[in-house]
């Protein structure tokens, strides 16, 4: 290791310390390779039949992989470690859905996903829609500059905040903490003073330049219940807004909610044409009906699912279904059936040839 960079020297020293294990591992792989080679020669010579060859080959390769990998495996009990329930996860799970949580990196996203707790910044995959990333001000990998804007928390229906320490958050109060998580971290749970609405009936909308939508939404002076924003790409031309309208008297409530399906009641019925804003990301596969009539869903307030509702509307149904997924599923099933038919035909043909 003389003359090498410190990092390389450390690696060399580690390799020298593990030299005996490396030699034994190499010897084991050599023996396994020799046995597999002998098995292959025996098969080619006709001394081993095809089924026996396949079975023994799988056993040999599997055994060698187990031998080589076993020292590197760390058997754990996730239910007793990182994924162990605690007072905070149980408190959030007990709250009625839908809701969202801001997690200040106290829990891993995988942990909260395990408990089916909805997070503002997504689950373990960290894959979001572009419109959502723009709303949250994504600047780099995992760097969301707008996550601290409390005005956006209202749009996102944030009910809980998980922090590593105590802090004053306007509109929130501490309900739990300190709590030790399964990973051994200290956590505090804050809850909104009033349950944030997941549904809003907005009486008016304005179409603005796309670059101005997010800056306007993070402005605390904007009242989301009175005005909805569409960017220039949306295929809708709302009536001009000359003054800020009064909030709608309509209350939108869930009669059913599950991932991908919602039933919503409007009470009282809107006195004028309005918009139902749902705190879900819009996607083309969202389909809506208003009082049984199909309605095109829109993307309002940058990324949220929006349904135009006529005056007097009472019931809205939303369903997430993808025709491309259905087509892919059908193609998969047909392909599988064709493979089964092909294999069955081949077996039948071979037997017919032998009997003939």
């Amino acid at each position: 290791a003389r003359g090498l960079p410190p990092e390389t020297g450390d690696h060399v020293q580690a390799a020298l310390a593990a030299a005996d294990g490396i030699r034994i591992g190499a010897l084991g792989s050599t023996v396994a390779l020799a046995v597999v080679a002998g098995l292959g020669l025996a098969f080619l010579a006709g001394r081993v039949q095809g089924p026996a060859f396949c079975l023994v080959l799988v056993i040999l390769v599997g055994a060698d992989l187990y031998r080589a990998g076993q020292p590197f495996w760390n058997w754990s009990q996730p239910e007793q470690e990182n994924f162990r329930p605690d007072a905070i996860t149980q408190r959030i799970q007990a709250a009625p859905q839908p809701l969202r949580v801001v997690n200040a990196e106290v829990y891993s996203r995988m942990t909260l996903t395990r408990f089916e707790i909805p997070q503002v910044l997504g689950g373990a995959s960290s894959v979001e829609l572009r419109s959502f990333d723009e709303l949250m001000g994504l600047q780099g990998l995992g760097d969301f500059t707008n996550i601290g804007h409390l005005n956006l928390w209202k749009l996102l229906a944030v009910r809980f905040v998980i922090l590593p320490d105590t802090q004053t958050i306007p509109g929130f109060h501490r309900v739990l903490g300190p709590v030790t998580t399964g990973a051994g971290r200290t956590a505090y749970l804050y809850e909104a003073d009033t349950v944030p609405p997941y549904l809003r009936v907005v009486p008016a909308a304005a179409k603005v330049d796309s670059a101005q939508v997010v800056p306007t939404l993070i402005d605390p002076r904007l009242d989301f219940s009175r005005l909805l924003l569409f960017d220039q790409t949306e295929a809708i031309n709302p009536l001009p807004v000359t003054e800020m309208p009064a909030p709608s008297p309509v209350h939108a409530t869930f009669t059913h909610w599950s991932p991908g399906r919602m039933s919503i009641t409007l009470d009282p019925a809107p006195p004028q044409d309005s918009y139902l804003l749902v705190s879900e990301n819009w996607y083309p596969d969202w389909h809506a009906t208003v009082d049984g009539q199909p309605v095109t869903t829109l993307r309002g307030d940058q990324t949220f699912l929006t349904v135009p509702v006529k005056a007097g509307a009472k019931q809205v149904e939303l369903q997430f279904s993808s025709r491309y997924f259905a087509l892919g599923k059908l193609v998969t099933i047909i392909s599988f059936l064709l493979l089964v038919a092909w294999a069955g035909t081949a077996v039948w043909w071979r037997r017919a040839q032998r009997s003939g």
Side-chain angles (χ1 to χ4, degrees):
R2 185 178 302 171
L4 295 174
E7 302 83 11
T8 306
D10 292 341
H11 294 325
V12 171
Q13 292 300 327
L16 292 175
D20 292 340
I22 294 174
R23 293 190 186 97
I24 294 173
L27 178 61
S29 296
T30 301
V31 171
L33 182 61
V35 174
V36 169
L39 177 66
L41 292 174
F43 172 71
L44 293 175
R47 291 194 295 270
V48 177
Q49 298 301 314
F53 168 76
C54 294
L55 178 62
V56 175
L57 180 63
V58 169
I59 293 174
L60 285 174
V61 172
D64 185 56
L65 290 175
Y66 178 85
R67 177 202 58 78
Q70 194 272 339
F72 302 98
W73 297 339
N74 180 23
W75 300 102
S76 62
Q77 296 176 305
E79 292 295 338
Q80 300 178 16
E81 297 170 4
N82 292 346
F83 296 157
R84 183 176 66 246
D86 57 46
I88 288 180
T89 57
Q90 291 172 340
R91 173 68 178 82
I92 297 175
Q93 286 181 311
Q97 295 284 356
L99 58 82
R100 283 198 184 86
V101 175
V102 169
N103 168 37
E105 299 184 357
V106 177
Y107 292 88
S108 71
R109 296 186 188 180
M110 179 70 76
T111 299
L112 293 186
T113 300
R114 159 65 179 79
F115 292 110
E116 298 183 351
I117 293 176
Q119 306 162 68
V120 168
L121 298 181
S125 63
S126 300
V127 176
E128 303 89 17
L129 298 176
R130 186 186 69 178
S131 58
F132 177 83
D133 283 341
E134 292 173 351
L135 175 67
M136 301 310 297
L138 180 65
Q139 298 296 321
L141 185 61
D143 182 16
F144 296 92
T145 58
N146 291 340
I147 186 62
H149 288 278
L150 299 185
N151 210 42
L152 286 186
W153 290 12
K154 300 175 184 177
L155 263 181
L156 294 162
V158 173
R159 182 169 177 179
F160 295 102
V161 182
I162 305 172
L163 298 176
D165 203 346
T166 56
Q167 187 173 336
T168 300
I169 309 175
F172 287 77
H173 60 279
R174 189 172 79 179
V175 291
L176 287 174
V179 171
T180 301
T181 69
R185 301 194 63 180
T186 300
Y188 295 81
L189 181 67
Y190 289 76
E191 185 174 4
D193 295 338
T194 57
V195 178
Y198 211 85
L199 302 170
R200 288 181 176 87
V201 177
V202 187
K207 202 167 186 178
V208 300
D209 184 81
S210 301
Q212 296 302 315
V213 174
V214 174
T216 305
L217 292 175
I218 64 178
D219 190 330
R221 295 174 296 178
L222 179 64
D223 187 346
F224 303 124
S225 65
R226 301 170 70 181
L227 184 67
L228 180 71
L229 301 181
F230 291 114
D231 66 27
Q232 297 295 331
T233 63
E234 285 303 295
I236 187 173
N237 292 305
L239 295 175
V241 178
T242 57
E243 61 180 359
M244 187 67 75
S248 174
V250 184
H251 295 283
T253 56
F254 287 111
T255 56
H256 172 83
W257 180 90
S258 61
R261 181 173 174 267
M262 308 176 210
S263 297
I264 301 164
T265 297
L266 306 180
D267 184 31
Q272 65 189 65
D273 292 356
S274 305
Y275 304 90
L276 173 65
L277 181 70
V278 185
S279 187
E280 295 274 354
N281 280 310
W282 173 86
Y283 199 74
D285 293 324
W286 276 111
H287 304 281
T289 61
V290 178
D291 291 337
Q293 299 300 314
V295 175
T296 301
T297 60
L298 303 171
R299 180 172 60 88
D301 282 351
Q302 176 62 27
T303 192
F304 294 99
L305 178 60
T306 305
V307 182
V309 291
K310 294 291 185 181
K314 296 181 179 180
Q315 186 73 25
V316 178
E317 299 285 339
L318 284 160
Q319 180 79 31
F320 189 94
S321 59
S322 171
R323 65 185 183 92
Y324 295 109
F325 173 79
L327 179 60
K329 183 177 179 180
L330 178 62
V331 170
T332 301
I333 293 174
I334 293 175
S335 300
F336 174 76
L337 293 176
L338 289 175
L339 286 173
V340 171
W342 174 80
T345 302
V347 171
W348 173 81
W349 177 259
R350 183 179 299 176
R351 290 180 177 177
Q353 290 291 101
R354 290 176 179 175
S355 62

